[in-house]
Amino acid sequence: RAPRRTGCVYVGQAFAQGHFDADLAKIGTSDGFAIREKDGSVYLFGTTPRAAIYAGSAFLEDNTDIIWARPSEEFGTVFTKSPTLDFGRTDRLELPAFRVHGWNVVAIRRDYATAKWVARMRGNKAVGSEPKGMEGTLGFLNQIGGHIYWWMAHPDKYFKTNPEFYGYSKLKGARVPETLCLTAPGLIEVAAENLSQKITPDTDTLMIGFRDTWACCQCENCTAPIPLPDGTKLECKSLDAQRDCRYYSTRYWVFVKELAAKLRERFPKLRIQGS
């Protein structure tokens, strides 16, 4: 533990231990952070590395007119220049309401200015924004997945041997490798095994996203009434998924729930999202 001097700004959990243990207990394993003052020094801390970035950003926001306006190194940060800084606000504890808070940076890849902007805005998710070789430097959640139907059962591997895994098209009168049959026997087990090969010990979240298409299986099982928790059944009103979003989204979430239960047998701490 580094020695303490008055008039300093200490960043990180190690400096706060023994001085602000009550705050650390409240923060727990969350992304919460605290800004405190003691004996003329300021302490910025949390219990995760990214919380130190949050605390530092909030500290500047509380004591200057700084604005993280855009994710740009050249013109993104706006503030009034001053020869001195007056740190008058040094008492803050913030606990996040959500486990995941951030942006899915779809259009920008490997842009560190974007990654830093997300971190300063208290985000813990900015998929694909950290440059190669710098992954993990901002402590974002390690989220994998997305439109991953083919991670679960790629047609190149399974369509010839297990055509029942794929959606039935009444128009074509056959199974076609455009989407999955979410009620196919054995698909849950195959999907869980294939996804298990993608998950690593540091994977925080798996996104089981629907394919980026309106195509849905039209077989008898995938369009059969879905039993609901209140004892009623949800009827399929159209073979066009765009005309009956309620039914087809329910069919998808039933599948995700069953697959999540299977994955948690092997990965009990894994967080699973849908889309």
Side-chain angles (χ1 to χ4, degrees):
R1 188 178 300 175
R4 291 179 175 81
R5 297 175 292 169
T6 58
C8 293
V9 177
Y10 294 103
V11 182
Q13 179 180 0
F15 294 110
Q17 289 173 338
H19 293 265
F20 304 101
D21 291 341
D23 286 335
L24 291 170
K26 289 179 182 178
I27 293 169
T29 59
S30 77
D31 276 348
F33 65 86
I35 301 170
R36 298 300 192 205
E37 184 176 358
K38 184 176 182 180
D39 298 330
S41 290
V42 176
Y43 295 77
L44 314 176
F45 61 91
T47 59
T48 63
R50 55 183 171 264
I53 301 175
Y54 304 158
S57 301
F59 180 55
L60 291 175
E61 292 166 8
D62 287 347
N63 292 281
T64 73
D65 63 358
I66 198 167
I67 300 173
W68 320 107
R70 291 178 179 273
S72 169
E73 300 284 9
E74 291 77 22
F75 59 86
T77 305
V78 181
F79 58 91
T80 301
K81 293 184 178 181
S82 174
T84 61
L85 289 176
D86 180 17
F87 297 137
R89 299 178 62 188
T90 56
D91 187 29
R92 180 171 180 175
L93 174 68
E94 186 170 311
L95 302 176
F98 298 98
R99 166 69 179 173
V100 179
H101 34 95
W103 286 261
N104 189 29
V105 188
V106 187
I108 301 174
R109 290 288 184 262
R110 309 302 172 192
D111 181 73
Y112 206 48
T114 298
K116 288 189 287 187
W117 180 78
V118 171
R120 288 164 177 165
M121 300 290 282
R122 262 75 99 202
N124 62 10
K125 171 191 172 216
V127 177
S129 59
E130 294 173 297
K132 292 187 181 300
M134 300 185 72
E135 296 92 342
T137 54
L138 293 173
F140 290 137
L141 296 177
N142 182 13
Q143 177 178 302
I144 64 172
H147 303 293
I148 59 169
Y149 270 23
W150 294 166
W151 284 16
M152 297 188 278
H154 200 290
D156 289 352
K157 182 176 181 180
Y158 294 99
F159 187 65
K160 288 184 180 180
T161 58
N162 297 88
E164 71 277 9
F165 286 174
Y166 302 91
Y168 179 78
S169 168
K170 286 201 171 183
L171 180 64
K172 297 180 179 179
R175 299 275 176 178
V176 291
E178 295 178 4
T179 189
L180 293 176
C181 174
L182 301 184
T183 61
L187 177 60
I188 292 288
E189 289 73 19
V190 168
E193 180 59 33
N194 287 330
L195 289 177
S196 295
Q197 306 308 312
K198 301 281 188 178
I199 299 167
T200 63
D202 63 344
T203 301
D204 183 89
T205 305
L206 170 67
M207 170 73 80
I208 303 175
F210 197 86
R211 283 205 73 207
D212 199 3
T213 172
W214 281 102
C216 293
C217 181
Q218 299 173 338
C219 77
E220 291 186 3
N221 288 335
C222 281
T223 55
I226 302 174
L228 302 178
D230 63 1
T232 62
K233 292 184 178 181
L234 182 62
E235 303 281 343
C236 180
K237 298 178 180 178
S238 175
L239 293 181
D240 182 350
Q242 296 184 68
R243 296 181 180 274
D244 196 357
C245 298
R246 186 182 184 191
Y247 177 86
Y248 289 96
S249 63
T250 302
R251 173 64 67 198
Y252 156 75
W253 281 108
V254 169
F255 173 79
V256 170
K257 182 179 180 181
E258 293 176 357
L259 179 55
K262 180 64 67 173
L263 286 169
R264 286 215 174 91
E265 294 176 3
R266 187 181 295 190
F267 307 100
K269 296 183 179 180
L270 180 69
R271 294 179 182 272
I272 297 174
Q273 298 177 332
S275 173

